[in-house]
Amino acid sequence: MATATHGSAGTPAQGDFDPIAVEVFTNRLLAITESMASNIMRASFSPQIKERRDFSVGMFDHAGRLIAQGTHIPVHLGSLMGSVEAVLARWRADQIEDGDVYICNDPYVAGGTHLPDISIITPVFVDGRLVAFAANIGHHSDVGGAVPGSTSAAARNMYEEGLRIPVMRVGRAHAIDDDLIGLVALNSRLPQERSLDLRVQIATNAKGTAAIRALIERMGGVAAFKGAVDGVLAYTLQRVRHRIAALPDERATFTAWLDDDGTGEGGRVPLTATVHRHDGRLVVDLAGSGPQSRGGLNVSESALRATVYYCVKAMLDPDLMANHGMADAIVIKAPAGSIVNPRPPAACGARTITCQRLAGAIIGALVSLVPRDRAIASSFDTMPTISFSGIHPATGAIYLSGETLGGGAGGRDAGDGMDAVHVHITNSRNLPTEILEHECPLFVEHYGLAVDSAGAGRHRGGLGIVRQVRALRDDTVFSTRSDSHLQGAAGAQGGGEGGRGKLIWNAGRDSEQPLPSKVKRLVLAKGENIRIETPGGAGFGDPATRACDALADDLIDGIITEDAARRLYGAALTDLALAAARGEAP
């Protein structure tokens, strides 16, 4: 089977570095990206960006090499890189003009990862020379397509997912193209929100370009800036190569499984990662992964790169700066026509479900190569998403509430996994209950931790989340995409499996009905509810070696019930923990 191999060699050779100068310069870059992030968060109109902070910003040099990314959504690294590369593939440097602004979102022709993520790219000129790009990406609540929210695991191709935007100029000579903004807005169920958020993205880049120019002036000119960029990228490359060289000279393989390919048919889908070092670079080979999804779970090249880079940074050097230098030390091999290297127009809307599971596979392989203090059991490794839409009674307009939910992180050699968190390539916040109920005719009946969802171990996994929402109006349209309903997260060093996800329609009633992990469109009547329970993280180490006091604390805190403790940890340890919880001497 043919494979796509991703890697590059555009970073300068390593040399001598002044670590203080590198640190000062990188922090200057990050200060600019964080300022851009603050601007887009405060000024945006949609809850997706303002409340959930589903956006990212980045800075690139004139050649399109990433030099800094804000500390936001890891998967957006792929979209940002891909969009700038698409600009430079579409226009030569001498065709790019001061005052241009570019827009794109398509996974196949414009470096995107899925259609709701729209990128805005703005070139930075100093003394008539192209020196850099400011870029940002925002998740837009709706860009058309077959379902509200424009994302469905069951989508059969890209044409069902919404408006495809190639790289286009949305600004010329510092003037916005209102017609193009209007075209994008018209294809959304929430046109005003689209128009306003796009204008905020454009304005954010304008502030970023001004800050970059000011930095270059403080540094003494373009030559000094370019030299500093080359130094930082070379330093990053040298540092990650040093980490790779420290790995044992062996191959490690791990396979994670999706419940299905998005259609609910055909059985589980493998995601296999084999990791090894070769000629000073880390090879991530995904041979053995499942075929191209018939649904929307396919992973585009940009999303694949972002996932791999995240895993390498997280496992080898968490303090490593995310830039092009890191990418030059990694080779990615992905079979053509597979779920991790699809052929257009395969649907990609729900790609994060696959990216999360793929991250779990890559990390699972790396666990056997890294020192024990960096080892971790599998986390819940998915991104459960729930969406409600309908007609708002107060305005008569369409409302749309979309939210991604956290789950349990895996236990580690050093301690328990975290409860109710996003993991891997997603990093957005929850949608506050007050915002949800204020903006939409919905009522949150329950929001808390999923008791008994933590995988057992010397160090337990983290707990998943319970979210139960009741419709206050007829004709409320619900959709969801999740995973790990058939098998929980894999434990490490003898640890237990994490709890599985659940989705229930009309929970707690006689008409209660379990639902599959992917639901394209379910129409709720007034008073009906949906309950989602997200998966927990897996345990690390033999459960029989868990400290009695730790299990006692879990019982006191309601993290685990007595019945589950006896089943997972054994009667003897549970009796000791119950006695400790009552303050009785052993």
Side-chain angles (χ1 to χ4, degrees):
M1 179 180 288
T3 63
T5 302
H6 308 298
S8 55
T11 299
Q14 66 185 46
D16 296 326
F17 304 102
D18 179 346
I20 296 177
V22 168
E23 188 71 14
V24 170
F25 182 62
T26 55
N27 277 281
R28 284 177 169 176
L29 299 178
L30 288 174
I32 293 173
T33 60
E34 291 305 316
S35 177
M36 292 170 63
S38 179
N39 184 85
I40 195 171
M41 179 185 67
R42 292 197 315 267
S44 291
F45 290 81
S46 70
Q48 293 292 329
I49 297 176
K50 180 180 291 292
E51 299 291 344
R52 293 190 55 251
R53 302 188 184 181
D54 197 346
F55 69 89
S56 292
V57 299
M59 190 188 313
F60 296 76
D61 75 351
H62 69 288
R65 300 178 301 179
L66 176 71
I67 56 179
Q69 182 194 16
T71 53
H72 301 110
I73 311 293
V75 74
H76 286 167
L77 169 64
S79 301
L80 291 171
M81 293 175 65
S83 61
V84 175
E85 291 168 357
V87 169
L88 290 171
R90 172 65 177 82
W91 288 284
R92 299 190 312 269
D94 61 357
Q95 295 174 316
I96 297 174
E97 299 179 0
D98 193 6
D100 282 353
V101 182
Y102 304 96
I103 184 173
C104 59
N105 74 346
D106 192 82
Y108 293 108
V109 302
T113 63
H114 76 162
L115 298 183
D117 284 350
I118 300 180
S119 295
I120 299 292
I121 308 98
T122 305
V124 182
F125 283 78
V126 174
D127 297 328
R129 298 169 58 189
L130 175 64
V131 296
F133 292 91
N136 70 67
I137 184 169
H139 179 93
H140 288 255
S141 303
D142 187 90
V143 290
V147 300
S150 309
T151 303
S152 169
R156 299 285 179 162
N157 55 60
M158 290 290 297
Y159 305 111
E160 295 183 20
E161 297 188 306
L163 180 66
R164 301 178 66 182
I165 309 172
V167 179
M168 303 176 70
R169 280 190 175 96
V170 71
R172 295 173 184 263
H174 303 284
I176 297 176
D177 186 339
D178 292 325
D179 292 337
L180 181 53
I181 295 287
L183 174 65
V184 175
L186 185 62
N187 280 273
S188 171
R189 293 172 175 86
L190 303 168
Q192 184 180 38
E193 191 178 89
R194 296 292 69 70
S195 176
L196 293 172
D197 279 351
L198 287 172
R199 293 175 191 276
V200 169
Q201 288 183 255
I202 294 169
T204 295
N205 275 3
K207 285 185 173 291
T209 59
I212 295 170
R213 283 193 291 266
L215 173 61
I216 292 171
E217 182 178 353
R218 287 198 303 271
M219 295 180 66
V222 173
F225 175 76
K226 288 185 175 180
V229 168
D230 287 344
V232 166
L233 299 186
Y235 169 75
T236 302
L237 176 59
Q238 177 178 317
R239 182 165 158 171
V240 73
R241 280 180 171 170
H242 178 73
R243 299 288 187 265
I244 292 169
L247 296 175
D249 188 16
E250 58 187 67
R251 292 171 179 261
T253 300
F254 190 97
T255 298
W257 296 85
L258 291 165
D259 286 352
D260 54 65
D261 70 351
T263 64
E265 304 169 356
R268 297 191 301 158
V269 178
L271 290 167
T272 300
T274 300
V275 179
H276 64 97
R277 58 183 175 90
H278 178 72
D279 289 341
R281 304 170 85 187
L282 187 71
V283 179
V284 179
D285 190 341
L286 305 179
S289 295
Q292 183 170 304
S293 167
R294 295 167 297 169
L297 271 60
N298 295 292
V299 178
S300 69
E301 178 183 348
S302 292
L304 174 62
R305 286 192 292 169
T307 303
V308 172
Y309 298 158
Y310 155 78
C311 293
V312 173
K313 174 176 162 64
M315 295 299 290
L316 299 191
D317 192 343
D319 295 326
L320 191 70
M321 190 169 181
N323 61 39
H324 190 86
M326 178 178 65
D328 280 339
I330 302 167
V331 175
I332 306 170
K333 296 182 178 181
S338 69
I339 194 170
V340 292
N341 185 14
R343 296 184 176 94
C348 299
R351 87 287 188 221
T352 45
I353 291 177
T354 309
C355 289
Q356 294 284 62
R357 187 69 82 245
L358 179 61
I362 298 169
I363 289 174
L366 286 169
V367 160
S368 63
L369 302 179
V370 300
R372 185 181 175 92
D373 62 356
R374 293 186 186 173
I376 184 171
S378 294
S379 298
F380 78 116
D381 294 351
T382 188
M383 194 189 73
T385 302
I386 55 176
S387 174
F388 297 88
S389 64
I391 304 299
H392 199 292
T395 65
I398 294 174
Y399 74 87
L400 176 60
S401 169
E403 180 179 9
T404 60
L405 300 174
R412 299 165 290 117
D413 184 55
D416 294 342
M418 296 180 67
D419 302 323
V421 293
H422 275 252
V423 298
H424 305 327
I425 53 89
T426 62
N427 191 33
S428 58
R429 295 190 173 192
N430 69 330
L431 186 63
T433 296
E434 296 82 359
I435 299 297
L436 174 69
E437 294 181 344
H438 179 267
E439 298 286 340
C440 310
L442 301 168
F443 180 77
V444 177
E445 294 183 331
H446 183 84
Y447 189 32
L449 297 173
V451 176
D452 291 340
S453 64
R458 177 169 62 87
H459 291 133
R460 66 168 177 82
L463 294 175
I465 291 174
V466 176
R467 184 78 140 164
Q468 186 167 311
V469 180
R470 183 171 80 235
L472 300 182
R473 298 278 295 183
D474 287 332
D475 300 321
T476 299
V477 178
F478 169 75
S479 64
T480 188
R481 53 190 188 278
S482 186
D483 208 76
S484 293
H485 284 209
L486 301 181
Q487 180 177 338
Q493 302 291 320
E497 178 182 297
R500 302 178 187 183
K502 297 178 183 178
L503 186 67
I504 302 171
W505 180 15
N506 287 329
R509 304 179 185 183
D510 293 340
S511 59
E512 177 177 295
Q513 179 179 340
L515 296 173
S517 59
K518 286 88 175 172
V519 174
K520 181 176 181 179
R521 180 185 175 89
L522 175 65
V523 180
L524 305 176
K526 180 180 178 179
E528 293 190 310
N529 71 41
I530 291 290
R531 179 185 179 92
I532 185 169
E533 299 182 15
T534 68
F540 188 101
D542 184 355
T545 62
R546 184 158 179 79
C548 178
D549 288 345
L551 183 56
D553 288 342
D554 288 346
L555 288 162
I556 292 170
D557 293 338
I559 287 172
I560 189 171
T561 61
E562 181 179 339
D563 287 345
R566 292 187 182 281
R567 174 169 48 86
L568 297 174
Y569 291 96
L573 180 57
T574 300
D575 285 340
L576 288 173
L578 288 169
R582 291 191 296 265
E584 300 174 0

